[in-house]
Amino acid sequence: MSGSNPARPRQPKRVPAALRTACLVGLIVVLDVSIRTQSPVDAGAQWRSYAGTNRSTRYSSLDQINKDTVSKLAIAWRQSATPVELRKGRGEPSKLPNYQNTPIVVDGVMYISTGYGLVTALDPATGKVVWFDDPPKREGQREVRASPIRGVAYWTDTRDARVFTIMSNWLVALNAKSGKRYSDFGADGQVDLRVYDDHITGSYTWQSPPVVVRDVVVVGSGSLRTGKRFEPGDIRGYDARTGKLRWSFHTPPRGGEFGSDTWHNGSWEGSGFTNAWAPFSADDELGYVYLPLKQPSGYAYGGAHPGENLFGNSLVCLDATTGKRVWHFQTIRHDIWDYDLPAAPVLLDITVNGRAVKAVAQISKLGFVYVFDRVTGQPVWPIEERAVPKGNVPGEWYPATQPFPTRPPAYDQQGVTIDHLIDFTPELRKEAIAILNQYTYGPLFTPPSVADRKPGGKKGTVVMPGIISASIFGAGADPETGMLYVPSNHAPSVVEMVKPQDPTLDQPWDAKRGNNHFGDKLEGPQGLPLFKPPYGRLTAIDLDSGDIVWSVPNGDGPRDHPAIKHLNLPPLGQPGRASPLVTKSLLFMGEGGREGVALLPRFGGGKVFRAYDKATGKVVWEMELPGGTTGAPMTYMANGKQYLVVAVGWEDLPGELVALALP
C-alpha cells in the first residue's frame, strides 16, 4: 500500500460507545439512528445507481414492506429483457436466461439495459416502456443490437440529466427525459472505447455499469485478447458533458510508472488483464473512486510475468477528477488461483474502539473481507504477512508471503483438510477421503500442480475457496448498525497444470480447461458435495467490531439426495449467484440462476426468493419466482407504493424483470 490523503474524516455517524452514559442512553440511541438514516449511503425512495448509491451498500430505508406486511407480497408486473417495442428489425431476441441487469429509478422513471444492449425507460409502477434508445444506423444495415450490461449510470448538474451506458464498444450519453442522444458528446453522440490514450484495440467489452463521480464518467474493461497478446485493463475517466477523455490509469503500469518494477524483466509489456470487470464504488464527497481489480493474464500460470504484479488483485483508490492514485492495497501477490476481486467495495462509516472511520470493505473470492480507512488506505485492523506454500511448476514465480487480515474472520472455508470432508454417514466419509486423496491439497494459497500420470499419482490441486465461491453481485450493508451482509458459495475447483494445446498461447504451461477458463467440477460421493455444508450461505459481519454475528444457509441444498434424505437434515444451502438487498427491517435474497453460470454443482441455483430478519438471519418469508434470480435486487417507491424488482431466468424462462409489491 502507498499514498495517503491528509484530509480528516467527517464526524462519526454514530456516537462512540464510550460516550453513551447510562442517563443518556435512550436519547443518544435515537439520535444515532436518525443521523445514520440521513447518510448518502441510503438509496431511500429512489435507486440512483447500480447498488443504490455510489457507495454500493444496496441499502434503502424504505419500510412499507416489513416483517408485518411481507407475507402479502405478490407479483405486480413482469417485463421481458427484450421488450416487444424494441424487437422490430432486430431479429429473434436472445433467451438471456442469465440476464444480470439491475435497474435504476430516478425521479419516477426506471432505466434498464435490455437484451438488445439498448437503454430503455420504463414506468416503475407498471413496467411499461416509456422510451428506448434508437441508435442511428447506416443505409442497408439492420437495427443496432448489442449485449446487455449489468446496469446504467445517472448524472445531473440540475440543468441537464443524463443516463450513461456502454453499448458494445461505445460509451453513450442519453437525455434522461427523452432518451435522445447528445450530438456533441464524443463523435456523433458516442465515444469509441477501443481508442485508448496510447493504443487502439480491435475490440472492447465491459459488462459492468459506468460510475459517475462529480462530472467524470469512469469505465473499466473486460478481459480482451488480440492474437497472442492480452490487452491491458486500463481505467479511464471521461467528461460527462463532452465525452472527452480526462485521464487514463494504466494497469499493468507502463515502464517507469509506479509499480512497473513489480513486473520483473519488463514483463508488464507483454501482460494483460489486471482489469476491473466488477463494478466500481465512489465517495462523492471526497471525489474518490474505488476499483476492485482482477489478476494478470494467465489465470493459473504466471511464469511469463514474474513478480508481485501490481495492480493485479488490488483495491485501488483514484482521485476521480485527475485519475491520480491516492492509495492501493494488493490482496494477493502474483495470483495463480483466479482470486480476483469480484464485486464493488462497500463504503460505510463505522466506529471502531470509539474512533470514527470512513471505511471501505472489499469482499473477495478468498473469503476475507479487507477493511480500510477509505481516506488514507490504512487497514482498520492489522493485515499480517504470513508464509505460504511454494509449488513446483517449472518456470513459475512464487511469493514467499501473502497478506492475511486479522479481522474480520474468514466467512467461508479456506484451504482443505480431512476435517472439512462430509460426514453425514461413515460410508460417505470414507468415500470422500478416497476422492480427496486423488489430488494435491493443503492450506490457503496451495499452488496449482502438474498432474502425475503415473498410477497413484495426483491429478491436480484442489483449490478452496474455488473460483465461484464469491458473491459476484456483491455484499450489502446497513448504515444503522454497521453490519455487512455477505453471500458466498461453498464449492472447490481443481487446477491441473498441463502443456497447452492452444498454439496461440505463448507460455509453457496452461491449466486444464473445464467449462470455464480453468477447473473441473469436483464432486463428492454419489454426486454429493465433497465438503461439509452450508453450500450457499449468508453471513452478517459487524464492521464496528470485526466479528461475525451470524451465518445461515441460503436454501435447502441437496438435503433430498437419496443418500441422505433419510437423515432429515436441516437446510444445507443452495449455491448460486445471489445478492442481498437491505431495507429498514429486512434483507432480501434469492438463490441465483442456473443457466450460463459456470461450474455450479448440479443442484445449484433455485427459484426461491426470501426475506431474512437482518438482526438474526431467520427466514421470515419466501416465495417461488418464475425463475432464479440472475441480477441483484433493488427497491423504490412509485405512486406511494414500495416495489422490489429483480432479474430472473431459467432453462425454460427467457430473462425478464419481476416486480413485487403489496396489494
Side-chain angles (χ1 to χ4, degrees):
M1 184 191 66
S2 68
S4 64
N5 187 303
R8 297 178 64 186
R10 291 185 297 173
Q11 293 300 308
K13 292 292 182 184
R14 272 176 285 190
V15 178
L19 298 180
R20 295 177 184 170
T21 58
C23 62
L24 294 177
V25 167
L27 175 60
I28 290 178
V29 169
V30 172
L31 290 176
D32 179 36
V33 172
S34 66
I35 292 172
R36 280 180 172 275
T37 56
Q38 294 170 10
S39 167
V41 76
D42 183 0
Q46 306 193 85
W47 196 266
R48 298 178 68 92
S49 67
Y50 172 71
T53 73
N54 278 352
R55 293 192 179 192
S56 299
T57 58
R58 304 192 179 280
Y59 174 80
S60 170
S61 59
L62 295 181
D63 200 37
Q64 189 180 86
I65 301 170
N66 55 46
K67 294 177 184 178
D68 297 327
T69 62
V70 67
S71 62
K72 300 176 184 178
L73 271 184
I75 293 177
W77 57 259
R78 297 166 66 174
Q79 175 60 271
S80 171
T82 53
V84 294
E85 291 88 343
L86 282 68
R87 295 181 185 179
K88 184 178 179 180
R90 291 190 169 86
E92 188 68 20
S94 302
K95 291 185 177 180
L96 300 171
N98 193 23
Y99 177 58
Q100 298 180 13
N101 183 254
T102 296
I104 65 172
V105 173
V106 185
D107 294 338
V109 182
M110 174 178 286
Y111 304 96
I112 68 171
S113 174
T114 67
Y116 294 111
L118 305 176
V119 174
T120 298
L122 305 179
D123 181 332
T126 64
K128 294 181 179 179
V129 172
V130 177
W131 58 253
F132 60 89
D133 177 30
D134 192 14
K137 62 181 184 298
R138 296 178 182 175
E139 186 176 351
Q141 284 186 334
R142 59 188 293 179
E143 298 288 342
V144 177
R145 62 184 293 178
S147 298
I149 62 174
R150 290 184 183 170
V152 299
Y154 179 89
W155 170 85
T156 182
D157 62 357
T158 70
R159 297 185 303 273
D160 184 21
R162 301 186 176 195
V163 176
F164 293 95
T165 190
I166 293 173
M167 183 176 178
S168 185
N169 55 278
W170 304 100
L171 173 64
V172 178
L174 304 172
N175 183 280
K177 292 183 178 180
S178 66
K180 300 298 183 183
R181 296 190 172 203
Y182 292 84
S183 60
D184 58 350
F185 183 82
D188 298 325
Q190 55 190 17
V191 173
D192 191 344
L193 294 174
R194 295 171 298 184
V195 180
Y196 289 76
D197 62 328
D198 60 357
H199 69 286
I200 299 175
T201 65
S203 63
Y204 170 91
T205 182
W206 197 42
Q207 195 177 7
S208 291
V211 64
V212 187
V213 191
R214 297 180 177 176
D215 61 352
V216 179
V217 186
V218 185
V219 302
S221 65
S223 302
L224 303 176
R225 183 172 165 185
T226 304
K228 291 185 178 182
R229 175 179 170 79
F230 289 96
E231 296 290 345
D234 295 353
I235 313 298
R236 290 170 287 174
Y238 293 88
D239 188 286
R241 296 179 179 86
T242 67
K244 180 180 179 181
L245 179 66
R246 290 267 200 97
W247 51 261
S248 293
F249 180 76
H250 294 153
T251 175
R254 312 289 199 265
E257 294 179 346
F258 179 89
S260 62
D261 59 336
T262 66
W263 299 74
H264 297 176
N265 307 324
S267 55
W268 60 267
E269 191 168 9
S271 296
F273 287 20
T274 60
N275 56 305
W277 67 277
F280 304 150
S281 301
D283 187 315
D284 297 288
E285 180 182 341
L286 295 172
Y288 291 170
V289 60
Y290 300 86
L291 319 172
L293 298 187
K294 184 179 171 69
Q295 76 275 18
S297 52
Y299 286 114
Y301 179 74
H305 47 80
E308 296 181 354
N309 303 146
L310 282 179
F311 292 96
N313 305 83
S314 298
L315 178 61
V316 178
C317 172
L318 302 181
D319 184 311
T321 301
T322 64
K324 300 296 184 182
R325 179 181 56 88
V326 181
W327 59 264
H328 76 275
F329 186 89
Q330 189 173 31
T331 60
I332 301 176
R333 300 185 184 89
H334 194 82
D335 181 15
I336 50 177
W337 301 270
D338 195 21
Y339 280 156
D340 51 88
L341 297 178
V346 173
L347 278 56
L348 198 65
D349 296 346
I350 61 177
T351 303
V352 180
N353 296 325
R355 179 174 61 92
V357 180
K358 295 163 71 75
V360 53
Q362 176 67 61
I363 67 170
S364 67
K365 287 185 178 180
L366 281 170
F368 281 133
V369 179
Y370 302 84
V371 187
F372 307 96
D373 183 312
R374 67 178 182 266
V375 180
T376 66
Q378 292 297 320
V380 170
W381 294 282
I383 298 179
E384 298 177 349
E385 290 294 326
R386 299 178 187 172
V388 293
K390 289 191 175 183
N392 58 3
V393 176
E396 185 58 272
W397 186 92
Y398 297 100
T401 64
Q402 294 284 4
F404 284 73
T406 57
R407 300 188 79 83
Y411 55 83
D412 216 316
Q413 178 184 331
Q414 294 182 325
V416 178
T417 69
I418 293 293
D419 290 339
H420 289 123
L421 297 175
I422 60 172
D423 56 1
F424 298 127
T425 68
E427 294 77 17
L428 291 172
R429 173 77 164 188
K430 183 177 179 180
E431 291 182 54
I433 292 173
I435 292 171
L436 181 63
N437 283 338
Q438 300 176 65
Y439 300 92
T440 297
Y441 63 90
L444 186 65
F445 294 117
T446 296
S449 57
V450 178
D452 184 352
R453 299 299 182 185
K454 298 176 183 177
K458 303 296 184 182
K459 294 182 179 180
T461 298
V462 178
V463 175
M464 190 66 183
I467 63 174
I468 64 163
S469 293
S471 169
I472 299 297
F473 297 121
D478 188 337
E480 296 185 21
T481 61
M483 202 73 70
L484 183 76
Y485 299 97
V486 187
S488 61
N489 292 320
H490 188 68
S493 299
V494 174
V495 186
E496 178 181 325
M497 302 307 296
V498 297
K499 292 292 185 180
Q501 296 180 347
D502 185 346
T504 67
L505 288 177
D506 189 20
Q507 59 186 45
W509 293 97
D510 190 18
K512 181 180 178 182
R513 299 186 179 260
N515 59 345
N516 202 319
H517 34 261
F518 71 74
D520 288 334
K521 293 181 181 179
L522 178 62
E523 290 188 336
Q526 302 179 44
L528 283 165
L530 188 62
F531 298 122
K532 295 175 183 176
Y535 304 115
R537 75 180 78 191
L538 175 63
T539 302
I541 302 173
D542 186 337
L543 288 186
D544 284 345
S545 66
D547 295 321
I548 291 178
V549 177
W550 52 258
S551 183
V552 296
N554 180 40
D556 283 338
R559 62 190 299 200
D560 288 335
H561 188 283
I564 58 175
K565 185 175 183 179
H566 65 285
L567 299 175
N568 295 317
L569 296 169
L572 301 178
Q574 200 81 8
R577 288 184 176 176
S579 178
L581 165 66
V582 188
T583 65
K584 184 74 173 177
S585 60
L586 296 171
L587 183 147
F588 295 89
M589 194 167 79
E591 295 178 334
R594 182 182 302 173
E595 193 73 8
V597 183
L599 299 181
L600 275 181
R602 65 181 69 182
F603 62 91
K607 297 181 180 180
V608 179
F609 190 63
R610 296 183 176 86
Y612 291 87
D613 183 319
K614 65 182 186 181
T616 65
K618 180 182 178 180
V619 175
V620 298
W621 167 87
E622 63 182 34
M623 73 175 293
E624 186 172 288
L625 297 178
T629 52
T630 55
M634 50 83 72
T635 189
Y636 57 91
M637 292 289 286
N639 299 336
K641 182 178 288 191
Q642 183 183 357
Y643 291 82
L644 305 178
V645 172
V646 66
V648 301
W650 205 248
E651 290 93 335
D652 58 351
L653 178 73
E656 64 176 53
L657 296 173
V658 173
L660 305 177
L662 299 175

